[in-house]
Amino acid sequence: MRLSRYFLPVLKETPSEAQIVSHRLMLRAGMIKQAAAGIYSWLPLGFKVLRKLENIVHEEQARAGHIAIQMPILQSADLWRESGRYDDYGQEMLRMQDRHGRDMLYTPTAEELVTDIFRGNVSSYKDLPLTLYQIQWKFRDEIRPRFGVMRGREFYMKDGYNFDLTKEDALHAYNRHLVSYLRTYERMGLQAIPMRADSGPIGGDDTHEFLVLADTGESEVFYDSAVTDLTFGDRDIDYDNREQCQAILEEFTSKYARTDETHDEALFNQVPEERRRVARGIEVGQIFYFGTKYSEPLGATVQGPDGKPVPVHMGSHGIGVSRLIGAIIEASHDDKGIIWPEGVTPFHCGIVNLKQGDEEADAACDKIYNALTALGLEPLYDDRNERAGGKFATMDLIGLPWRITVGPRGLKNGVVELTCRRTGESEGLSPEAAVTKVAEIYEQIA
């Protein structure tokens, strides 16, 4: 993409309504525009990152054996009355009526709807286990939406639901989701710590939230600092291997890590004092096991091995895809702007032409642009007739991990400048070597 042809409405000034870093930078970088309180239009740069995150989630869900579906945004209130949650959910549920006077609601979550799909189509234990998921827009009518996409009313979310014959089977599904989420977040350049949490309106006894440590987090968290030394890495996981998935759950949850809602001071005091930490965290996902909470009232049963009907055991699993963008920025920025991890960057590399209109500089930039594109990478070429300082400021603001700077002076010596956004370090390389190095960086994270 050439910046002269792209829609990137960056702002020089910080909007007054933006209270936290991610909100300020997303507005300034032209990623989003507020449409109403807690509701945003996703502009090209923001939409590109949203799709990057969505693709990672899809890939890791498929790796774990989960099956994608798409459910509607509007639901009938009848299903929620059947489960008993329609009146209990509270004012966060946006309720409405259609032209025929039928009660409807804008989806805040979809346990009832997916259970209705299951009960109408699955009748035998032989069809289990089954996990269905979607990535879909949700709406929760927050009393005071704030912090941009971190606490908006409309949000993009992956919600998955497992159906299993027994509690043991469902707990394996729980472990499988925990493993897949650890992989997902690390691919996004995040360390998301699973913490014992409260189940809230979803219900159930077993639940973990995944939290990214950040000063602006909405939750107070208490943890053993040893958990921050854990990494998932490139382990080869067999998701059908119960012992392997259970071992990973134990590895990542045996150290103390809890939100303020489930914090136990006595247990926390058993952690060596030098490892006790109190911080803030941003929730970016949660997994639940809730047994037959929905299957019993909604009649989601299968014929068991003995021929008798058995209510299935269920769990649900969410990742806040749009919220993740805010969390990544909160965890990865400096005073100049965003610093995207390579796995989620909207463009792989920026190209800055220091002297637009110079025949040699223009030709070199075009050659680099075409070479990166031929390798399957997406460069963003700043070909505008702007001052160099303005071009650098834009690149720093939007946070591309790597920048190739091309100017007549360097080209006389046969070099361009390759700069790492995270460290600020630069090196002079031939144009061909700069392209090769950028390609190698992304090959390593593919």
Side-chain angles (χ1 to χ4, degrees):
M1 177 58 65
R2 295 172 184 267
L3 196 47
S4 62
R5 302 176 188 174
Y6 198 53
F7 181 58
L8 185 67
V10 298
L11 304 176
K12 292 183 178 179
E13 302 297 328
T14 299
S16 58
E17 73 271 20
Q19 299 174 325
I20 62 172
V21 169
S22 59
H23 193 192
R24 291 197 296 268
L25 291 177
M26 289 183 75
L27 290 170
R28 285 198 55 219
M31 296 179 67
I32 55 173
K33 186 179 188 304
Q34 182 170 302
I39 302 173
Y40 294 89
S41 296
W42 288 80
L43 306 184
L45 194 73
F47 186 64
K48 208 166 166 51
V49 179
L50 193 68
R51 283 288 175 258
K52 285 281 185 82
L53 299 183
E54 180 183 2
N55 288 340
I56 291 173
V57 173
H58 276 306
E59 288 167 8
E60 292 304 326
Q61 288 297 295
R63 191 194 298 264
H66 307 156
I67 303 168
I69 61 172
Q70 189 81 88
M71 292 180 278
I73 296 173
L74 293 181
Q75 297 187 36
S76 167
D78 293 342
L79 279 173
W80 285 67
R81 292 193 177 104
E82 198 176 340
S83 72
R85 279 209 301 175
Y86 185 68
D87 295 321
D88 294 342
Y89 201 88
Q91 292 186 326
E92 284 190 358
M93 180 189 289
L94 183 64
R95 297 165 169 86
M96 67 205 77
Q97 288 188 335
D98 65 14
R99 66 169 64 193
H100 301 292
R102 291 178 292 226
D103 291 328
M104 308 290 289
L105 58 99
Y106 195 121
T107 298
T109 183
E111 282 82 5
E112 284 82 358
L113 194 57
V114 76
T115 305
D116 184 54
I117 292 171
F118 177 87
R119 70 182 178 182
N121 295 281
V122 180
S123 58
S124 171
Y125 76 96
K126 295 179 182 179
D127 296 320
L128 303 180
L130 177 66
T131 295
L132 303 174
Y133 80 95
Q134 65 170 350
I135 302 179
Q136 177 63 290
W137 291 100
K138 308 286 191 305
F139 189 92
R140 293 176 188 167
D141 202 3
E142 295 276 354
I143 189 170
R144 190 164 65 92
R146 59 196 187 280
F147 304 153
V149 300
M150 298 287 288
R151 198 75 175 175
R153 293 193 293 167
E154 185 181 59
F155 54 96
Y156 202 47
M157 179 180 173
K158 174 262 167 178
D159 49 317
Y161 309 90
N162 65 283
F163 301 89
D164 291 278
L165 183 62
T166 66
K167 179 177 181 179
E168 291 71 25
D169 294 341
L171 289 176
H172 171 58
Y174 185 95
N175 297 350
R176 192 173 66 239
H177 278 86
L178 182 136
V179 174
S180 71
Y181 278 20
L182 290 171
R183 283 186 57 95
T184 298
Y185 295 126
E186 283 200 10
R187 283 188 61 188
M188 295 174 181
L190 285 172
Q191 182 176 50
I193 303 169
M195 298 193 179
R196 178 65 65 180
D198 181 67
S199 61
I202 304 295
D205 297 325
D206 291 276
T207 180
H208 281 87
E209 285 181 353
F210 291 79
L211 288 105
V212 174
L213 299 177
D215 292 339
T216 51
E218 72 272 50
S219 301
E220 188 174 34
V221 296
F222 303 80
Y223 64 96
D224 180 340
S225 64
V227 302
T228 60
D229 297 328
L230 298 172
T231 57
F232 193 84
D234 57 356
R235 309 183 198 197
D236 185 19
I237 300 300
D238 178 359
Y239 283 99
D240 292 327
N241 187 318
R242 297 191 177 207
E243 291 75 19
Q244 189 180 30
C245 291
Q246 177 67 27
I248 293 172
L249 175 130
E250 291 173 0
E251 177 186 353
F252 280 84
T253 64
S254 59
K255 302 285 192 298
Y256 190 93
R258 296 192 178 205
T259 64
D260 52 358
E261 296 161 320
T262 60
H263 176 54
D264 185 319
E265 192 69 24
L267 285 176
F268 189 52
N269 287 337
Q270 295 176 22
V271 176
E273 186 174 359
E274 69 274 10
R275 299 207 318 249
R276 289 180 216 153
R277 299 288 187 274
V278 181
R280 310 294 299 181
I282 300 168
E283 182 204 338
V284 292
Q286 190 163 6
I287 57 177
F288 303 84
Y289 163 70
F290 42 68
T292 59
K293 175 182 171 67
Y294 298 96
S295 57
E296 285 187 341
L298 291 169
T301 63
V302 295
Q303 187 180 61
D306 59 0
K308 296 179 180 178
V310 181
V312 293
H313 286 254
M314 292 176 59
S316 68
H317 325 91
I319 289 181
V321 179
S322 54
R323 166 181 273 245
L324 269 168
I325 297 179
I328 290 169
I329 294 171
E330 292 292 333
S332 185
H333 68 273
D334 61 17
D335 57 358
K336 295 179 181 179
I338 302 165
I339 305 174
W340 292 116
E342 279 86 353
V344 299
T345 180
F347 294 95
H348 296 103
C349 182
I351 303 171
V352 171
N353 189 340
L354 293 179
K355 193 170 183 180
Q356 198 68 39
D358 179 87
E359 185 175 343
E360 188 177 6
D362 290 354
C365 287
D366 285 339
K367 187 175 181 180
I368 292 169
Y369 179 88
N370 292 332
L372 289 168
T373 303
L375 291 170
L377 299 176
E378 290 184 279
L380 179 64
Y381 173 21
D382 191 343
D383 61 341
R384 300 171 300 163
N385 189 22
E386 297 280 347
R387 292 182 303 169
K391 291 186 175 186
F392 289 143
T394 297
M395 285 293 175
D396 285 340
L397 174 62
I398 66 175
L400 306 186
W402 296 92
R403 185 186 75 226
I404 297 175
T405 304
V406 181
R409 185 180 302 174
L411 289 174
K412 287 180 181 178
N413 299 316
V415 299
V416 297
E417 190 175 71
L418 179 64
T419 303
C420 173
R421 174 69 179 88
R422 184 169 299 280
T423 66
E425 295 177 355
S426 299
E427 62 177 320
L429 298 168
S430 70
E432 295 78 13
V435 168
T436 298
K437 183 164 183 177
V438 171
E440 288 174 349
I441 289 166
Y442 286 101
E443 283 176 6
Q444 292 171 7
I445 65 167

